Amino acid sequence: MTAIYKRELKSYFTTFLGPLFIGATLFLLGIYFSVYNLFMGYPYIGYALSSVVFLFLVSVPVLTMRILAEERRQKTDQLILTSPVGVGRIVLGKFLALATVFAIPVMIISLYPLVLAGFGTIAFGETYLAILGFFLYGLASIAIGIFVSSLTESQVIAAVLTFGILFLGYVMSGLCNMISPTGNFLTKILGAFDMAGRFEGLLDGSLQMTDIVYFLSVILLSLVFTVQSIQKRRYQISTGTVSMGAYSTAVLVISAGAVVLLNVLLAELPPKYTVFDLTASKLYSLTDETEEMVAGLEEDVDIYVLANEKQADEVLDASLKNYAALNSHIKVSYVDPAVNPKFFTKYTDAMISANSVIVESQKRSRVIDYGEIYQKEFDYATYSQTVTGYDGEGQITSALAYVATDEMPKIYLLEGHGELSFEEEFLAAIEKANVGYETINLLNYSQVPEDAACVVIHGPTEDLSGDDTEKLLAYMEGGGNMLIVTAYSDRELTNFNRILDFYGVQATQGLLIERDANYYYQDPFYLLPDISYDTITEGVLNGGSYVFVPYARGLSVTEKEGAEGIALLSASEECFARSNTEIATYDKQEGDEEGPFALGVASSRTVGEETSQAAIYSSEYIFTQNADEIVAGTNLKLFSGTIRSLVPTETAGVSIPVKNYNVSFLAMAQSSILLLTIITVIAIPSAFLVGGFLVWFGRRKR
């Protein structure tokens, strides 16, 4: 085998075919690499690899067409057929020679991510998995080309047939969708030839052993078929019998059956044994918090996905398979909206999107709209949305905790004093924390309801009545928690200020103006305060982002018996409160209040044996969608952290952060981009092409 390997490998570099294949592969890859990775700054080489696999349709047939067909045409295969060397070793030697030729550009490509690492953060797991998939796809194509070459003595026919087979493998996914978008028995059979689809499955950072074994199976079967093709002719020449024909057929059937059985059995194994998450954000894995919570689930839960299983979201599908594998009480079912369009109406009156999820137990159910599974950011410059994060695990884990718990905590949203209503995404954040909510007007109650885990006063523009104030003070003295958001008003809110004073907090009458440009966005009224560490702000600080607080009043913490308060959000020392809002200038005027001021305060007050917790914010716009979009969701994270802190129940504590989708683009100087482009597109491919041509031309002259 070694002699055949060396002979074949040498022949590819003395006939110029090897250097041509290597140079063409590196040249085409270099073009896409320079576009995607150098000029556009993407840190994933998978984009470039995915764009060049069509090269296999042309390069592999040219590379493999002569390996057996030429020997058959020149009758030199008679030496192989009558030699004492095993046919399997002969075929393996030829395959390894071609694999070595292909491995050379792959090894060079493997160096590219190391170069890119000097200009930014590279997800090496995802990157090298993509390179592995590219290598396996190429080897499978080569093995197919060797088999086809063994069937004919015409190089042209071998090249055309190889192209046809590889082309079918390249477009099979599209053909299956054309035949049946939802899938049927025929598409299941044809799907076995979908090579490009298997390769695409290795580009997203999920190492699926089913895809790896698929490519290895194609390689093994192609080589076995090649051996049997040669073996059949070998025995016909040496014995003149036909017994070997039946033997070859039996070997082929047994080999194909064994490979199919292996792939089927592997597909039935739980994902924890066959799928390995190599993404930087662990997109396809479940966190320890989720695994711990799901493992303790003791009642049956049904998860319905409103989609045909063949058209389901791949990332969501992977997450759901992980849930089902963790606990036998969880059952995942797909409901095709085309077959059962009214299914979701049993759970909600609202219209929901395809791929939405319904989680149901005997106690209750929750609907997770598909739009909530992915976090998106709206670009006002282009009027387009970009997916920035995956929240599938967070939403599903929260829903599981919600439907499985016996009692749900509840917060009450105060109304009747000009309060703002929370927008949909903030109400969804309350639900995600597994907290119920209800709007309440204290005029209709003798006291705050006993089941209130927290009362929310959201930006009142009119003062509370004395009766409402006494009810709230009694609730707070009894250990009730409060979320308070102040609003600017030209009225004197005496009773509302009594609520603030209970925690030793005072608010300025005027709005804050920030003079330090590092603490505001575009306008001195649009504040970007410092964020102090607390359990409330932990999620915000981990994100390394800003909180946007427009048109805020200043908060001050004063001494109060039994009260303690810390600033969560702070303006700069240069900030002041404008006493007369009719003055247009941003300069400080006589009568304006000097800072420093807080924009958010976490406070507590102990009365007797009871302690009341409060989070107080100074702008009615802080928890609005417009403000949240300015800082890409940070205000919503602050709101969620506040709810979890004020309602510290077991289920409210189960909160999985959004898994980041943001791409950290590479930062490269123009000179570096041009230099690397010249090297990868021109220098390296030319070195192989010129070197190979000189060797070939030198041999021709001799």
Side-chain angles (χ1 to χ4, degrees):
M1 185 185 77
T2 303
I4 293 174
Y5 167 76
K6 290 180 179 178
R7 189 196 72 172
E8 290 294 332
L9 184 61
K10 182 179 179 181
S11 69
Y12 277 102
F13 287 95
T14 56
T15 60
F16 187 55
L17 192 56
L20 177 62
F21 173 81
I22 296 171
T25 301
L26 290 174
F27 172 73
L28 191 61
L29 189 281
I31 291 176
Y32 284 99
F33 173 77
S34 64
V35 171
Y36 284 115
N37 302 106
L38 300 182
F39 285 94
M40 298 179 67
Y42 286 111
Y44 304 122
I45 201 171
Y47 296 151
L49 295 176
S50 177
S51 301
V52 301
V53 291
F54 72 87
L55 179 66
F56 293 151
L57 305 183
V58 177
S59 62
V60 169
V62 173
L63 188 67
T64 60
M65 64 182 184
R66 58 166 290 277
I67 195 164
L68 289 172
E70 178 68 9
E71 291 190 356
R72 188 172 176 180
R73 186 182 69 82
Q74 295 181 353
K75 307 302 181 184
T76 56
D77 65 330
Q78 303 291 334
L79 298 175
I80 296 177
L81 297 175
T82 57
S83 70
V85 181
V87 175
R89 292 187 176 186
I90 295 172
V91 172
L92 185 59
K94 290 177 175 290
F95 171 74
L96 291 178
L98 286 170
T100 301
V101 174
F102 178 52
I104 292 174
V106 173
M107 286 190 294
I108 295 173
I109 292 168
S110 298
L111 299 176
Y112 290 179
L114 301 178
V115 175
L116 295 178
F119 302 95
T121 302
I122 302 296
F124 286 107
E126 298 172 57
T127 296
Y128 283 104
L129 177 60
I131 293 175
L132 173 63
F134 182 75
F135 185 55
L136 290 175
Y137 192 172
L139 292 182
S141 301
I142 289 171
I144 291 172
I146 293 175
F147 168 60
V148 174
S149 183
S150 72
L151 300 176
T152 178
E153 63 181 30
S154 170
Q155 294 187 45
V156 175
I157 293 176
V160 172
L161 288 178
T162 301
F163 171 82
I165 294 173
L166 296 183
F167 180 75
L168 285 176
Y170 184 72
V171 301
M172 187 56 68
S173 178
L175 289 177
C176 289
N177 286 332
M178 289 176 60
I179 295 172
S180 175
T182 58
N184 55 31
F185 180 74
L186 178 60
T187 58
K188 286 184 179 180
I189 296 175
L190 294 177
F193 301 94
D194 184 12
M195 294 176 62
R198 299 284 184 162
F199 169 62
E200 292 292 334
L202 294 172
L203 292 178
D204 56 13
S206 177
L207 173 55
Q208 302 190 43
M209 295 307 300
T210 52
D211 293 335
I212 301 296
V213 172
Y214 170 82
F215 282 117
L216 294 178
S217 299
V218 171
I219 295 169
L220 178 61
L221 273 182
S222 297
L223 296 182
V224 169
F225 281 25
T226 304
V227 170
Q228 293 307 309
S229 174
I230 298 173
Q231 196 79 280
K232 184 176 181 180
R233 291 192 295 111
R234 182 184 194 185
Y235 275 81
Q236 286 175 342
I237 290 173
S238 60
T239 65
T241 67
V242 296
S243 60
M244 191 58 197
Y247 171 74
S248 297
T249 303
V251 170
L252 296 180
V253 171
I254 292 173
S255 300
V259 167
V260 170
L261 181 62
L262 173 63
N263 281 269
V264 170
L265 292 176
L266 191 64
E268 294 300 319
L269 290 176
K272 64 179 180 179
Y273 300 118
T274 61
V275 181
F276 303 93
D277 189 356
L278 300 183
T279 59
S281 60
K282 296 302 176 185
L283 191 62
Y284 300 95
S285 305
L286 298 181
T287 60
D288 293 339
E289 292 87 344
T290 290
E291 292 184 354
E292 182 180 351
M293 191 278 289
V294 173
L297 199 63
E298 297 180 352
E299 60 181 286
D300 293 340
V301 176
D302 290 305
I303 300 178
Y304 301 103
V305 186
L306 301 184
N308 181 282
E309 190 168 1
K310 295 298 181 182
Q311 297 175 318
D313 182 279
E314 293 182 1
V315 181
L316 177 61
D317 181 62
S319 296
L320 292 173
K321 287 179 178 177
N322 287 331
Y323 280 100
L326 280 175
N327 195 314
S328 60
H329 287 291
I330 297 177
K331 180 183 178 182
V332 178
S333 304
Y334 285 84
V335 180
D336 191 343
V339 178
N340 194 348
K342 299 291 186 180
F343 179 81
F344 70 93
T345 58
K346 295 185 292 184
Y347 304 94
T348 179
D349 295 330
M351 293 298 297
I352 56 178
S353 312
N355 277 301
S356 295
V357 176
I358 299 171
V359 183
E360 181 185 29
S361 71
Q362 293 183 348
K363 297 184 179 74
R364 58 183 71 86
S365 65
R366 173 177 288 179
V367 177
I368 306 171
D369 189 79
Y370 185 59
E372 300 173 8
I373 290 174
Y374 287 95
Q375 186 181 75
K376 298 178 181 179
E377 183 176 315
F378 188 80
D379 187 345
Y380 286 96
T382 60
Y383 293 95
S384 61
Q385 282 188 332
T386 303
V387 176
T388 59
Y390 173 69
D391 196 25
E393 181 184 349
Q395 294 286 349
I396 296 168
T397 297
S398 174
L400 287 171
Y402 171 75
V403 301
T405 191
D406 293 322
E407 296 183 3
M408 298 298 301
K410 180 184 271 188
I411 64 175
Y412 285 91
L413 311 177
L414 198 64
E415 67 175 3
H417 317 93
E419 291 90 350
L420 289 177
S421 298
F422 284 109
E423 294 167 301
E424 184 177 345
E425 65 176 3
F426 289 89
L427 294 176
I430 297 175
E431 291 182 342
K432 184 182 176 183
N434 290 327
V435 177
Y437 64 87
E438 182 180 329
T439 302
I440 184 175
N441 191 323
L442 288 178
L443 181 65
N444 302 319
Y445 293 80
S446 60
Q447 62 180 20
V448 174
E450 293 183 357
D451 63 345
C454 178
V455 174
V456 179
I457 307 178
H458 188 211
T461 55
E462 298 177 5
D463 200 12
L464 281 63
S465 68
D467 188 45
D468 286 354
T469 304
E470 293 301 329
K471 294 171 186 176
L472 288 172
L473 288 174
Y475 166 75
M476 293 149 60
E477 289 172 354
N481 294 341
M482 300 287 294
L483 170 55
I484 305 171
V485 180
T486 72
Y488 173 75
S489 176
D490 54 4
R491 303 179 183 180
E492 185 69 30
L493 305 181
T494 305
N495 288 321
F496 177 72
N497 289 333
R498 288 175 60 195
I499 301 295
L500 297 179
D501 184 62
F502 178 85
Y503 297 104
V505 175
Q506 295 180 347
T508 63
Q509 183 66 27
L511 297 177
L512 296 187
I513 294 177
E514 181 60 74
R515 289 180 288 182
D516 189 333
N518 295 316
Y519 284 78
Y520 67 83
Y521 170 72
Q522 294 184 344
D523 188 286
F525 284 109
Y526 295 168
L527 308 185
L528 299 173
D530 275 333
I531 306 171
S532 301
Y533 179 80
D534 187 79
T535 54
I536 292 176
T537 59
E538 183 177 7
V540 178
L541 287 171
N542 288 343
S545 188
Y546 294 100
V547 171
F548 181 53
V549 190
Y551 301 113
R553 300 168 68 186
L555 300 178
S556 302
V557 179
T558 60
E559 291 187 6
K560 192 79 174 183
E561 182 180 357
E564 294 182 0
I566 62 169
L568 300 174
L569 309 174
S570 303
S572 78
E573 297 285 344
E574 300 296 319
C575 191
F576 64 89
R578 170 57 46 83
S579 60
N580 184 355
T581 56
E582 295 181 359
I583 299 177
T585 179
Y586 293 135
D587 296 330
K588 187 175 180 301
Q589 304 294 315
E590 184 178 354
D592 291 344
E593 295 182 59
E594 284 280 3
F597 295 108
L599 307 182
V601 172
S603 186
S604 65
R605 172 81 183 274
T606 301
V607 179
E609 297 182 355
E610 302 293 341
T611 300
S612 172
Q613 305 285 339
I616 304 169
Y617 298 99
S618 63
S619 169
E620 69 266 40
Y621 301 107
I622 186 172
F623 297 135
T624 61
Q625 185 174 345
N626 287 337
D628 187 54
E629 288 176 348
I630 296 294
V631 286
T634 306
N635 285 25
L636 182 59
K637 292 179 182 178
L638 177 66
F639 180 77
S640 298
T642 303
I643 295 297
R644 290 195 300 270
S645 177
L646 295 175
V647 190
T649 64
E650 182 178 351
T651 55
V654 181
S655 180
I656 310 302
V658 177
K659 295 183 177 181
N660 193 13
Y661 250 41
N662 282 331
V663 176
S664 232
F665 289 96
L666 303 174
M668 305 179 68
Q670 192 67 25
S671 57
S672 299
I673 293 174
L674 294 176
L675 176 61
L676 290 175
T677 298
I678 292 172
I679 292 173
T680 56
V681 178
I682 300 175
I684 297 178
S686 297
F688 283 95
L689 292 173
V690 173
F693 177 79
L694 292 176
V695 171
W696 171 77
F697 187 73
R699 290 181 58 84
R700 292 268 299 178
K701 289 186 68 175
R702 289 198 297 268

